[in-house]
Amino acid sequence: MALKVITDRCTGCGRCITVCPFDAVYLENDVAVITPGCRVCRLCIKECPEDALYLEESSQPEADMAGHSGVLVVAEAVESKLHPVTLELMGKGRELADELQQKLYVVVIGHGLKSAAEELLQYGADEVWLYEDASLKHFRIEPHTNAAAHAVSGLTPNIVLIGATPVGRSLAPRLAVRLRTGLTADCTTLKVKENGDLVQIRPAFGGDVMAQIVTPQHRPQMATVRHKVMDPAQRFRREGAVLRQQELTDSALASRIRVHSVHRRREKPSISDAEIVVAVGRGVKEQKDLKLADDLARLLGGQVGVTRPLVEMGWGDHTQQIGLSGRSIRPKLLIALGISGAVQFTAGASGAECVVAINSDPDAPVFSSAHYGLVGDLYEIVPKVIAGLERGESIHAVL
Amino acid sequence: MNIVVCVKQVPESRDVEMDPETGNLKREGAAAVMNPFDLFALEAGLQLKERYGGTVTAITMGPPQAEEVIREAYMMGADDGMILCDREFAGADTLATSFTLAQGIRHLQAVDLIICGLQTTDGDTAQVGPGIAEFLDIPHETSIQKIHGMDEDGLRVEKDMGHVVMDLSLQLPTLISVAKGVNQPRLLSFRRKLQTRDWPARYLERSDLDDHKEAFFGLDGSPTQVEAMFPPQPHTASERWEGSSQELADRLVQLLVEEKFVQSGVDE
């Protein structure tokens, strides 16, 4: 399959060159030529006024579509603990399976996970397959891929969902190659068509464009999904839900990787990479009050940032400073506490996807760039937010 | 140690805008550069070569202008460069790209270590490295944040797993993808620019590869298809909340829960 030019029709107007996002078209003797840079996005086909461009379809053998049924979630366990993305994948997986009137399968790979695997039966799975072995304790790519591939060949699912975590982003592409099927990374929306095709929507070009991707001729269809994108599964046990223990051969458990140790991260990750940032400005009266921001950030799994005046007063260090003379951040959520919103600060924070500002001055410039502006005293509001989150935390801890 | 570093030419700016009416991508004179993550991969390869001897070969798949990133790799210190360039490679998704690069690496023979950047800035998938390793049937590890060097078990590295770090060794031949900050990439050398000006880059097309069945390459070899592209729904809310501090706090907690910003009580 390739993009072709009907040379008789091409007038050399160059509109295809203008729309091509990949610089993959040039003119030779006033006729468009497609280079290997072409990603077949088809924009030029739509743009061409002469209908001189077309997609040459090739006949591909169809995969055995009817033979594949069900949604398989690969649970994620790091060091014998399930990652919460597992329940989120199961929530989405259950929804897709219901729509297709098919089953939801979960595969659990690791060591010391039997009770966690049993617990997953309470969250809408029809079948949980457990691969339990001491040599699967650490994530090592070959035996983990072998286990996942074993489950896929036994269950022949239509769809496979994997978390877009450090583990999933290593496992999923290896599994997709083994199965010679398509894999779409970091999907933010997943839905199914009536024929069982999975519609996968993901951000492209750093989030400036959304791409809708399908895997029409291959099964299973594979997608990874980031943590905190889908809603977690509800507690609900399906009738006949069953746990099945699986065995792998010794050669399938072998690995050319030796794990020496696993330890908790010592260094704090950079504020530039943080997904959630609680930023503090001069609305904070005393240095000890920064504890409010610390507590809020800890509950949200985020990091604390400060504005320049606070660094100058010695209340924070340079690595925490957000702004023109500090770091630029691109978090999913920025909570600005007592920040007026001077250009110095906003220049470093413009990449934030969602901005919540709390400020007692209703005229503070920060409100013009905030998505949610809370007019009030941070000393009154933040402790109540912290209390509210702490209450919620005990309800939400499910695994 | 014979090392291959996979590199890719990407648009310099990530700022691609879409015309909401026509759906066309607006790309204003975007310059092409080496994928920033690949600079760390090249530096890692060069440092290992300096310690253990051998060669560093930069490999890329792309159009003829991708030769620019091979030249850049020369300027940093690579010994050799290869461009997999064929119109039949066009439209490749990560499966077909992994296959094509794996074929190119196989063509080089006697490769001990393949290093990739963690991901590219235009695709953001991080899928091609593990895909190459599977096609070559060698172990791999991604998100490497530290390279210690060789020990009796192979190449000793630290893998970033989010909240934990794994210290491990991989038997050679193997593939790693390195995270930002694994090292400090060296600057391009002007002297090397002059020295390598006449160095050719090897061009390979489909027919040069061992396994060159058409159906494995480009669009034909790509199970995924882009059906449509559209602009994202921007976060357009611009709300002003007023009320008692308790009301404001309750609404904020509700927002944080609804938008899934709240940790669910389990460590990542």
Side-chain angles (χ1 to χ4, degrees), chain A residues 1 20 178 208 212 260, chain B residues 14 27 134 169 220 227:
Chain A
M1 197 154 41
C20 178
R178 175 123 0 137
D208 294 319
Q212 180 171 323
H260 302 290
Chain B
R14 285 169 65 116
R27 189 181 42 95
E134 173 66 16
S169 296
D220 285 342
E227 252 189 347

Side-chain angles (χ1 to χ4, degrees), chain A residues 87-348:
Chain A
L87 279 190
E88 296 164 10
L89 296 172
M90 286 176 68
K92 177 49 80 174
R94 187 69 258 168
E95 180 195 315
L96 299 174
D98 284 345
E99 201 146 320
L100 295 167
Q101 296 183 309
Q102 296 177 354
K103 287 185 170 172
L104 173 65
Y105 309 115
V106 182
V107 54
V108 180
I109 305 163
H111 184 60
L113 289 167
K114 181 129 193 267
S115 58
E118 270 164 1
E119 183 67 11
L120 292 180
L121 292 174
Q122 312 296 333
Y123 288 88
D126 291 292
E127 252 181 71
V128 176
W129 279 27
L130 173 64
Y131 293 84
E132 170 88 9
D133 194 283
S135 56
L136 294 169
K137 179 173 190 283
H138 301 298
F139 173 72
R140 287 182 303 171
I141 189 66
E142 311 107 300
H144 274 75
T145 310
N146 291 340
H150 184 267
V152 170
S153 65
L155 293 161
T156 55
N158 179 34
I159 293 167
V160 176
L161 303 179
I162 300 180
T165 57
V167 167
R169 279 162 74 98
S170 181
L171 175 68
R174 185 129 194 170
L175 182 61
V177 167
R178 175 123 0 137
L179 304 170
R180 300 291 192 275
T181 192
L183 169 66
T184 305
D186 297 337
C187 297
T188 52
T189 304
L190 290 170
K191 47 196 178 184
V192 280
K193 297 183 185 173
E194 254 171 51
N195 67 359
D197 279 0
L198 182 66
V199 176
Q200 306 157 104
I201 297 176
R202 75 175 300 250
F205 298 104
D208 294 319
V209 179
M210 302 302 285
Q212 180 171 323
I213 295 164
V214 288
T215 311
Q217 321 231 321
H218 294 72
R219 292 294 183 270
Q221 309 163 85
M222 291 182 59
T224 66
V225 181
R226 288 195 185 191
H227 179 30
K228 294 184 192 172
V229 170
M230 303 297 176
D231 293 321
Q234 298 295 312
R235 202 176 163 86
F236 168 68
R237 190 181 172 113
R238 303 268 296 178
E239 205 176 310
V242 62
L243 174 72
R244 293 188 204 283
Q245 295 240 32
Q246 301 293 327
E247 300 277 328
L248 287 180
T249 60
D250 287 347
S251 65
L253 288 168
S255 174
R256 288 160 283 185
I257 295 168
R258 176 158 174 199
V259 177
H260 302 290
S261 68
V262 178
H263 47 89
R264 290 195 75 80
R265 249 183 121 73
R266 269 174 251 109
E267 71 278 30
K268 264 213 298 201
S270 160
I271 193 163
S272 311
D273 300 328
E275 292 203 344
I276 295 180
V277 173
V278 178
V280 198
R282 264 191 294 193
V284 170
K285 292 171 196 134
E286 286 184 69
Q287 189 173 2
K288 67 173 170 54
D289 302 339
L290 290 173
K291 185 170 181 306
L292 283 176
D294 286 337
D295 289 348
L296 186 56
R298 183 176 42 76
L299 280 166
L300 294 169
Q303 293 203 47
V304 175
V306 294
T307 58
R308 193 167 81 172
L310 270 68
V311 175
E312 286 167 356
M313 289 188 289
W315 292 9
D317 66 75
H318 281 292
T319 60
Q320 291 178 284
Q321 188 197 327
I322 300 162
L324 214 50
S325 55
R327 309 270 169 120
S328 288
I329 57 171
R330 288 180 75 95
K332 289 200 165 69
L333 170 69
L334 167 65
I335 301 183
L337 302 177
I339 290 177
S340 64
V343 175
Q344 159 66 233
F345 171 78
T346 52

